[in-house]
Amino acid sequence: MALEKQLAINDSIGNLDWNVDMSAGTATFGNELTFPIQMLGSVSHQSNTWLWAYFLN
């Protein structure tokens, strides 16, 4: 099911330019498509790194 969703979103956004607005919690593709997103991250105090990902809802 996850693959079907990935293929469907790919059909919609294709090669459009994209932007993520973390304050608004949105991802925009081209000039017309905006989707809410959820952000998830982890921090390592040992390596002093931050790993993050965002997910389209």
Side-chain angles (χ1 to χ4, degrees):
M1 183 175 263
L3 177 60
E4 290 176 11
K5 289 183 178 186
Q6 288 177 344
L7 294 174
I9 193 82
N10 187 58
D11 288 343
S12 297
I13 63 174
N15 291 323
L16 295 174
D17 291 334
W18 60 275
N19 184 54
V20 172
D21 183 337
M22 290 193 177
S23 296
T26 59
T28 302
F29 299 89
N31 294 323
E32 298 179 13
L33 299 173
T34 300
F35 300 97
I37 60 170
Q38 294 179 341
M39 291 163 269
L40 173 69
S42 64
V43 64
S44 170
H45 296 288
Q46 187 170 24
S47 63
N48 202 26
T49 57
W50 166 253
L51 177 64
W52 68 277
Y54 59 90
F55 303 92
L56 296 175
N57 288 336

